[in-house]
């Protein structure tokens, strides 16, 4: 499913018509550049550990702090040679999480 598909379902009165995309509401540009998924992120222990330390620092009791922590940890995977991910995969994962949250969570 693409952003265009999402826009079409929203304009047709689909389930998303009642909820604004949280990323759009936050002013985040939902377009991932074509070359982002092919970008090279060389393994960098220092960057990876820094991101994971920050993730641990921001993790708290609120769902928002846990989500931010998870996002930071996922971004740190870009710098881990044992992980296979891309900025596009991370973006799509975060967008999915934000939509679920906007709709009241998995256990509505």
């Amino acid at each position: 499913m693409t952003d265009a598909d999402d826009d079409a379902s929203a304009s047709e009165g689909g389930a998303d018509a009642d909820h604004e995309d949280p990323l759009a509401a936050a002013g985040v540009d939902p377009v991932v550049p074509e070359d982002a998924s092919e970008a090279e992120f060389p393994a960098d222990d220092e960057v990876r550990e820094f991101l994971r330390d920050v993730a641990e620092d921001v993790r708290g009791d609120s769902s928002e702090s846990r989500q931010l922590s998870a996002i930071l940890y996922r971004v740190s995977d870009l710098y881990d040679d044992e992980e296979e991910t891309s900025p596009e995969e991370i973006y799509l994962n975060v967008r999915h999480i934000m939509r679920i949250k906007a709709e009241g969570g998995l256990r509505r």
Side-chain angles (χ1 to χ4, degrees):
M1 181 177 238
T2 65
D3 287 335
D5 294 334
D6 294 342
D7 293 341
S9 68
S11 64
E12 294 170 5
D16 290 339
D18 298 334
H19 301 287
E20 182 178 6
D21 184 342
L23 292 177
V28 175
D29 183 1
V31 177
V32 177
E34 288 291 323
D35 60 350
S37 62
E38 299 168 6
E40 293 288 327
F41 289 87
D44 188 326
D45 294 340
E46 187 176 330
V47 171
R48 184 183 66 246
E49 289 306 315
F50 173 75
L51 288 169
R52 290 179 181 178
D53 286 345
V54 172
E56 287 179 33
D57 286 346
V58 300
R59 186 172 176 85
D61 293 333
S62 72
S63 64
E64 291 84 2
S65 66
R66 288 190 305 269
Q67 288 172 346
L68 178 57
S69 177
I71 292 166
L72 288 168
Y73 199 90
R74 187 80 167 118
V75 170
S76 77
D77 288 345
L78 290 171
Y79 300 96
D80 188 339
D81 60 353
E82 295 180 13
E83 296 290 336
E84 291 186 26
T85 192
S86 70
E88 182 179 30
E89 290 172 5
I90 293 169
Y91 162 76
L92 292 172
N93 184 254
V94 170
R95 184 176 76 174
H96 178 71
I97 291 167
M98 298 295 282
R99 285 187 177 161
I100 289 171
K101 181 153 180 73
E103 293 172 3
L106 293 172
R107 298 182 196 117
R108 310 187 256 176

